[in-house]
Amino acid sequence: MKTEKLKGKDLINVGIFSAIYFVIIMAIAMLGYIPIMMPLLCVIGPVLCGIPFMLFMTKVKKFGMILIMSIIMGIMMMLTGMGWYALVVGAVSGLIAELIYRGGKYASSKLAIVSYGVFSTWMWGNFLPLFFNPDGYFSTRQSFGQEYIDSLTNLMPMWMCPTLLVTCFVFGVAGGLLGKALLKKHFKKAGIA
C-alpha cells in the first residue's frame, strides 16, 4: 500500500470533524451534573458520536487522521479541566484505532466500526481521576456540593473503572453500527465495503 503524507484537505477534515465531535461530547457531558448520568456518559457519548465519526471515516484515507483527532480530543479535555488522562489514553487508543482501520486499507466498514469502538475508549481517560485521584478530582468540584460528591463516590466504586472501559468500547461499536446504517450511501460512495 502506498503511503501518502497528510495534505491540507486531510487536516481540514480532521479539524472540522474534531470540532463537530467535541461540540456533541460537551453537550452530552452536561448530563454529568446529574450524578446518576455520569457513568451513562460512556454509553450516550459513543453512540451519538458514532454518526459524525463514521462520516469522518469515509474521509480517512491516510495514516494519522484518526490519531490526530484522538489527540485533539485529549487536548480539549485537558483544556476544559478534565486533566491529562484523556490525552494519554486518547493517544494510545487513537494509534490502535488508526492501525486497525489501516489494516483494512481504509476500505473496510467492519474495521471502521471496530476502529471506532477502540477510538471511543479515549472517554474512559476522563474517569480515571475519579478512581486514582479522587481527592484532586473533587477538590475542583466543591461548588457542586457534598451531596453530589457523595452520590458520585457511591456510584463509582473501583470495579467501575474496567467496566467503563469496556462500556466505551461496546457502545462505540454500537455507535459505529448506527453511523454505518445511517450513512450507507456515503460508505458506498467512498468505496468502503
Side-chain angles (χ1 to χ4, degrees):
M1 181 171 79
K2 183 181 172 186
T3 305
E4 295 181 34
K5 291 183 179 181
L6 293 174
K7 295 182 180 167
K9 181 180 177 184
D10 302 316
L11 296 175
I12 289 169
N13 276 323
V14 170
I16 290 169
F17 283 97
S18 294
I20 293 167
Y21 190 95
F22 179 72
V23 168
I24 295 169
I25 283 294
M26 291 310 290
I28 294 167
M30 296 303 149
L31 296 172
Y33 288 110
I34 305 166
I36 192 70
M37 294 303 292
M38 187 69 93
L40 293 177
L41 297 177
C42 292
V43 173
I44 300 166
V47 170
L48 292 182
C49 289
I51 299 164
F53 192 87
M54 293 306 283
L55 184 57
F56 172 64
M57 293 298 252
T58 65
K59 310 290 184 194
V60 174
K61 301 295 178 197
K62 297 175 187 167
F63 188 83
M65 293 176 73
I66 298 169
L67 177 60
I68 292 169
M69 185 173 180
S70 64
I71 291 171
I72 289 171
M73 290 300 101
I75 290 169
M76 295 305 288
M77 290 299 112
M78 198 167 61
L79 292 175
T80 56
M82 294 306 296
W84 54 269
Y85 298 94
L87 177 58
V88 173
V89 174
V92 173
S93 65
L95 178 60
I96 295 169
E98 185 84 54
L99 293 171
I100 290 169
Y101 197 38
R102 182 181 180 191
K105 298 182 180 167
Y106 303 108
S108 167
S109 62
K110 290 178 184 173
L111 290 181
I113 292 165
V114 173
S115 182
Y116 178 58
V118 172
F119 174 88
S120 295
T121 62
W122 75 266
M123 291 180 203
W124 176 68
N126 289 320
F127 293 90
L128 292 180
L130 274 168
F131 302 108
F132 299 108
N133 185 16
D135 293 336
Y137 180 83
F138 288 120
S139 71
T140 61
R141 288 158 178 82
Q142 291 298 313
S143 62
F144 291 13
Q146 192 60 43
E147 185 179 346
Y148 176 87
I149 293 169
D150 292 341
S151 296
L152 197 53
T153 301
N154 291 334
L155 283 169
M156 297 290 205
M158 187 54 86
W159 61 265
M160 282 294 287
C161 185
T163 303
L164 292 176
L165 175 63
V166 172
T167 302
C168 286
F169 174 76
V170 169
F171 284 93
V173 170
L177 289 167
L178 175 64
K180 182 188 174 245
L182 295 174
L183 300 166
K184 284 181 185 177
K185 290 180 182 178
H186 293 278
F187 271 76
K188 188 173 181 180
K189 186 178 178 182
I192 302 171

